[in-house]
Amino acid sequence: MKRWGDLSQDTADHLSAHSVLDHAEMAVVVTDRFSNVVYWNPFAERLFGRPGPAARDQSRSLGIMEKDHPLAVELAKHVLKGGVWEGTFDVKRGDGTIIYVRAQAVPLRHQSGSVTGIVITAREAMRSNEREKDRYGLLERIGERLAGSLYVEETLNRVAEMLVPQFADHCFIELMDNGRLTRKVSSHVPGWSPPPNTWAPIGADINYPTGHYAEIALRRQETILVEDFSQTNYPSPGEASTRLAAEIGMTSAIVAPLCVRGEVLGLMYLGLSNLTDRRSPHYDAFDRDFVGAVATRVALAVDNALLFEEERHTAESFQKNLLPPAPLPELDGLEIAVRYCPAAPLASHGQGIQTQVGGDWYDVIPLSAGRVGIVIGDVEGRGAKAAAVMGQLRAALRAFAQDDKPPAEILARLDDWTHSIATPEWDDSGADISVPPIVTCQYLVYDAWSRQLSFANAGHAPPLLLVDGTCSELEIEEVGKPLGVRARGINADLVYKEETRTLPAGAALLLYTDGLVDRRPLRDADGRPPSDEETLAALFGKLIEVSDDTVENIAQAATDAVPGEIDDDMAILVVRSARDELDVEERTFPAQPIMVGEARRMAAEAFSGWNVPEERAELACLLVSEVVTNVVLHAANASVPRRDLVIDTTTPFSFDESWDIPGFEDEVVNEKEFTLRLRRGGESVWVEVFDQDLRLPRIRSAGENDEGGRGLYLVDQLAKRWGSRPTREGKAVWFEIPTKSR
């Protein structure tokens, strides 16, 4: 060296750009205009984790977490236009740990001045002389991550991910539970965990001795720093705990209380040990203040999660108690499976923490003579109000269904009820502007003995029919309007139409609400959500695979068929018809007193053939006699049903001639008859008596000297259930007798 500042050739060789960057204690990464990584120095490999050969071609291989990919794209666009960017990224390294990286990006320019790439310099946040500058950005990033968490366990796990191993080798979080401190998180550096019977595990009650630094933090509600354990002496929480701390070389700790709204929720404990090689193995006052600020955000997130879980639990319990209790009753000729799932929270939709129960419901209603009412419905909206409306509608529909009216008439009455429960509102002129809730609903009545399915639809998606390895929508000729939207002056009977189908043996019906298919979509390779046709195709494909399986497996397959998070609450009801025919006997008799004995004899023979216990069969025969006798006694007073008079118009008819038609009166007299139908189920027999009398029977009090008036009283006292319903030709009286002794 001839003069000061002159360098020897050997020294100059060591000052090449690559040599300097190889020794830099800062990550340097260079990408081209297409974000392909063309260079990074050794420190970058240590900071981000050494990538595999296939991972060196994209900048996102640096480990930038998926939620920050849009930010990385905007960064690249901004810098390629000549700008400079500086900020904080969440980075997930190859070992699964998450660190926070402070990065600066500047344009890489050609000699001509054009931008040919991006130069990124990065360092681990809070580990340099610019910690104060990093603090605010890092707290913002931590707050963003915690704000997206709606569950206590998820929130606490995120806290541990954020702090270990970047800021601590050990992290414990304890929450107050009924006055006791319970450990919820025990997180440590990768590859190490405390041996059994040393540090308290998750779920254990924690009791810090008086004077312990954690006890002081809890009592004073302030963040406590233990800068160097070798210079302090605190009471020991236990011999095994103290021995383990000595073995791993605990050097420093910070304990921060989790306080919000004047209430202490718990403690957050961070510790350093000799398990890792750090530039500084001790916390300082700056770290204490930073951890205290983090604890404040953690406490808010935990409090929000606790409030959300409490609200969600309350709403779900409310919803659950409004739905039919599990398990559903066993019904003859039907296998039944149900599912109900509330929607996932809407935080990602920008609507904050919301309880996502709603107005979806299902029901299975036992009707007369073994028939079954099946209903699926969806009240528009979400939350407790929608669930409350659903509860009212379900109760009303169950009450209406007991009248055994046709499905279309049931929906018409339910539509009237929907208008009656609308919240009253009036405009300035006093006009009623109440808006009823909007409800889609489908009501079906299934007769397992005849396999006849009658139904009416109020704007609901048609059920899916699974039969012989195929899946298709049940054919519905006319779909009525949803409940609550019928215009004034239009009769509901004109809106809802009844249809009838015969359900094949072994066929399954899947009734569902729109939450099954309206999921928060998982985007495909092109970045677009699947279409409705693609979603239904995926559902159909899964159902075809399990079409011959149990109804429980069909319900579960439907639940899992459509990918994505549940965006709306979802109800599923699957029913399958019996593969075998059910026992039934039916015969029509003239409405004459002598036929009472014949009807009883028919019943006795049928019950004997079905192996009904003698005691049960005799009781059923007694009630058959009472009901048939009641029909015969009132047949003379029954009105004759209206008959269509058919006249041959091909020949002239003189008005002077007599209108008497030979044999017509005799035909009218002879048509007074009744039909006895007997059905056997798994645990009961049902008896139905049909006649042409439109008057429904009722129990009346008989006087001491009255000869009649006690038949229906006996039926009411001795049958398990009984009732009557109108039919097209008149009425049916029915009762149920259990075949097993009480």
Side-chain angles (χ1 to χ4, degrees):
M1 184 171 64
K2 300 177 181 178
R3 291 179 302 174
W4 179 259
D6 289 345
L7 301 178
S8 65
Q9 185 62 41
D10 183 61
T11 303
D13 291 340
H14 284 288
L15 286 179
S16 65
H18 280 284
S19 178
V20 172
L21 292 177
D22 286 349
H23 290 83
E25 288 293 312
M26 175 176 285
V28 179
V29 180
V30 181
T31 73
D32 61 16
R33 291 184 60 87
F34 304 101
S35 297
N36 298 316
V37 176
V38 296
Y39 171 81
W40 60 9
N41 66 345
F43 190 87
E45 294 189 0
R46 295 196 301 272
L47 179 64
F48 297 111
R50 187 180 297 273
R56 294 186 62 92
D57 55 347
Q58 295 293 328
S59 63
R60 66 181 57 183
S61 68
L62 299 178
I64 297 174
M65 296 186 69
E66 184 177 356
K67 68 183 184 63
D68 281 342
H69 286 176
L71 181 63
V73 172
E74 292 301 320
L75 176 158
K77 292 180 179 179
H78 178 72
V79 176
L80 290 174
K81 292 179 181 179
V84 176
W85 183 91
E86 184 173 359
T88 306
F89 279 114
D90 295 5
V91 171
K92 189 171 186 178
R93 301 200 288 195
D95 59 3
T97 59
I98 296 175
I99 63 172
Y100 292 88
V101 172
R102 186 74 177 179
Q104 184 183 60
V106 298
L108 177 67
R109 297 184 182 275
H110 188 262
Q111 293 179 352
S112 62
S114 62
V115 177
T116 60
I118 301 173
V119 179
I120 303 172
T121 57
R123 51 187 168 74
E124 189 176 354
M126 303 293 289
R127 288 290 178 263
S128 72
N129 294 329
E130 299 183 4
R131 291 192 299 173
E132 184 68 30
K133 184 178 180 180
D134 292 342
R135 178 177 179 180
Y136 300 104
L138 188 53
L139 284 176
E140 182 180 356
R141 301 291 295 177
I142 291 175
E144 289 176 358
R145 292 204 66 205
L146 290 178
S149 176
L150 299 174
Y151 300 96
V152 174
E153 182 178 352
E154 179 185 3
T155 300
L156 298 181
N157 288 335
R158 287 191 179 187
V159 172
E161 287 179 356
M162 291 186 296
L163 299 177
V164 178
Q166 184 166 14
F167 301 113
D169 297 333
H170 313 278
C171 174
F172 302 105
I173 300 179
E174 289 112 22
L175 297 183
M176 299 298 296
D177 186 7
N178 294 325
R180 298 177 301 175
L181 203 60
T182 303
R183 180 153 292 173
K184 299 295 185 181
V185 169
S186 178
S187 180
H188 310 276
V189 291
W192 185 88
S193 58
N197 301 319
T198 53
W199 287 343
I202 294 175
D205 291 342
I206 307 298
N207 295 295
Y208 292 109
T210 303
H212 190 274
Y213 52 92
E215 187 272 336
I216 296 173
L218 192 64
R219 173 162 40 89
R220 295 182 180 176
Q221 298 186 23
E222 64 180 47
T223 304
I224 300 298
L225 165 68
V226 181
E227 191 168 348
D228 190 347
F229 277 113
S230 65
Q231 304 297 321
T232 57
N233 185 22
Y234 288 99
S236 171
E239 182 179 348
S241 175
T242 302
R243 185 169 58 252
L244 179 61
E247 290 176 1
I248 63 176
M250 289 292 293
T251 58
S252 187
I254 297 176
V255 182
L258 304 178
C259 301
V260 64
R261 295 185 287 109
E263 180 182 358
V264 179
L265 301 180
L267 286 174
M268 183 174 70
Y269 180 111
L270 302 181
L272 296 176
S273 67
N274 292 329
L275 293 175
T276 56
D277 183 17
R278 299 177 183 271
R279 178 178 300 178
S280 174
H282 300 280
Y283 290 124
D284 56 21
F286 182 88
D287 295 319
R288 178 194 59 200
D289 295 341
F290 173 73
V291 171
V294 171
T296 300
R297 286 158 174 77
V298 171
L300 287 171
V302 170
D303 186 54
N304 285 337
L306 288 171
L307 292 174
F308 170 74
E309 289 193 357
E310 181 179 357
E311 179 188 354
R312 185 175 178 85
H313 175 73
T314 300
E316 286 181 358
S317 299
F318 178 48
Q319 169 86 356
K320 181 179 179 181
N321 286 296
L322 290 175
L323 290 173
L328 292 174
E330 294 185 5
L331 301 169
D332 291 303
L334 276 182
E335 299 175 28
I336 304 173
V338 296
R339 292 290 188 277
Y340 173 78
C341 298
L346 285 182
S348 61
H349 286 199
Q351 300 182 37
I353 300 176
Q354 292 189 1
T355 302
Q356 289 310 295
V357 299
D360 291 17
W361 94 94
Y362 57 84
D363 208 349
V364 178
I365 309 169
L367 300 176
S368 63
R371 295 156 63 248
V372 181
I374 303 169
V375 62
I376 191 85
D378 184 0
V379 179
E380 184 182 51
R382 291 172 173 150
K385 181 178 180 181
V389 171
M390 177 272 289
Q392 295 181 70
L393 291 174
R394 175 175 172 257
L397 190 146
R398 287 187 72 90
F400 297 154
Q402 298 308 313
D403 290 342
D404 271 321
K405 297 294 180 64
E409 187 172 340
I410 296 294
L411 287 187
R413 295 184 64 184
L414 198 62
D415 180 69
D416 291 336
W417 178 261
T418 303
H419 285 80
S420 70
I421 63 175
T423 303
E425 291 186 39
W426 297 270
D427 60 13
D428 296 338
S429 62
D432 185 4
I433 57 172
S434 303
V435 178
I438 299 176
V439 184
T440 64
C441 181
Q442 179 145 338
Y443 180 62
L444 310 91
V445 175
Y446 180 62
D447 188 333
W449 282 263
S450 65
R451 301 190 187 279
Q452 188 177 76
L453 183 73
S454 303
F455 59 88
N457 190 296
H460 201 82
L464 304 183
L465 176 63
L466 284 73
V467 57
D468 296 332
T470 64
C471 178
S472 61
E473 291 186 342
L474 182 68
E475 182 182 352
I476 298 179
E477 296 179 359
E478 188 166 349
V479 176
K481 294 184 179 298
L483 307 177
V485 301
R486 175 172 53 90
R488 295 179 181 272
I490 298 180
N491 194 318
D493 294 338
L494 302 177
V495 178
Y496 307 110
K497 302 297 183 182
E498 180 179 352
E499 301 181 40
T500 302
R501 303 283 184 275
T502 299
L503 203 59
L509 274 181
L510 186 145
L511 293 81
Y512 65 95
T513 58
D514 55 7
L516 174 63
V517 292
D518 292 343
R519 303 288 183 98
R520 295 181 195 171
L522 298 177
R523 300 180 182 275
D524 59 16
D526 298 330
R528 66 175 183 85
S531 64
D532 294 343
E533 291 75 13
E534 292 170 337
T535 299
L536 284 176
L539 176 61
F540 281 25
K542 284 291 185 181
L543 292 178
I544 289 174
E545 294 177 4
V546 296
S547 60
D548 294 328
D549 216 330
T550 65
V551 289
E552 286 290 340
N553 289 344
I554 292 176
Q556 191 58 46
T559 303
D560 302 334
V562 181
E565 215 173 7
I566 297 177
D567 199 34
D568 189 7
D569 58 329
M570 174 191 71
I572 296 176
L573 192 152
V574 183
V575 296
R576 185 194 292 281
S577 65
R579 300 184 185 277
D580 301 325
E581 299 293 333
L582 302 184
D583 292 325
V584 59
E585 295 285 346
E586 183 175 330
R587 181 179 169 187
T588 299
F589 300 89
Q592 301 172 4
I594 196 174
M595 291 295 106
V596 175
E598 289 296 322
R600 179 165 182 156
R601 185 178 300 109
M602 170 194 165
E605 292 175 355
F607 296 150
S608 176
W610 294 341
N611 296 320
V612 176
E614 184 177 356
E615 177 188 358
R616 302 281 94 193
E618 289 182 356
L619 175 59
C621 288
L622 170 63
L623 300 187
V624 167
S625 298
E626 295 296 335
V627 174
V628 171
T629 299
N630 189 70
V631 168
V632 171
L633 289 177
H634 292 85
N637 299 324
S639 58
V640 178
R642 180 178 299 174
R643 298 288 302 274
D644 293 332
L645 179 61
V646 179
I647 301 176
D648 185 5
T649 59
T650 59
T651 59
F653 188 81
S654 173
F655 284 93
D656 296 333
E657 297 181 14
S658 173
W659 280 78
D660 295 333
I661 300 176
F664 182 74
E665 293 183 357
D666 296 335
E667 182 183 357
V668 170
V669 172
N670 292 334
E671 76 172 354
K672 291 184 178 179
E673 56 191 15
F674 67 89
T675 299
L676 176 63
R677 179 190 293 166
L678 309 174
R679 294 180 168 189
R680 183 178 71 162
E683 297 184 352
S684 297
V685 292
W686 283 273
V687 176
E688 293 178 284
V689 179
F690 300 85
D691 69 344
Q692 293 81 26
D693 190 353
L694 298 175
R695 297 169 296 177
L696 298 180
R698 59 184 179 87
I699 298 176
R700 63 183 180 87
S701 299
E704 294 182 0
N705 299 322
D706 290 345
E707 294 182 1
R710 297 175 179 84
L712 289 181
Y713 178 78
L714 285 176
V715 175
D716 183 63
Q717 293 297 309
L718 299 178
K720 180 180 180 180
R721 292 192 305 153
W722 81 278
S724 62
R725 70 175 187 272
T727 63
R728 295 181 183 274
E729 295 80 18
K731 70 172 182 299
V733 181
W734 62 272
F735 61 84
E736 176 186 356
I737 296 293
T739 54
K740 296 183 179 180
S741 298
R742 296 178 180 174

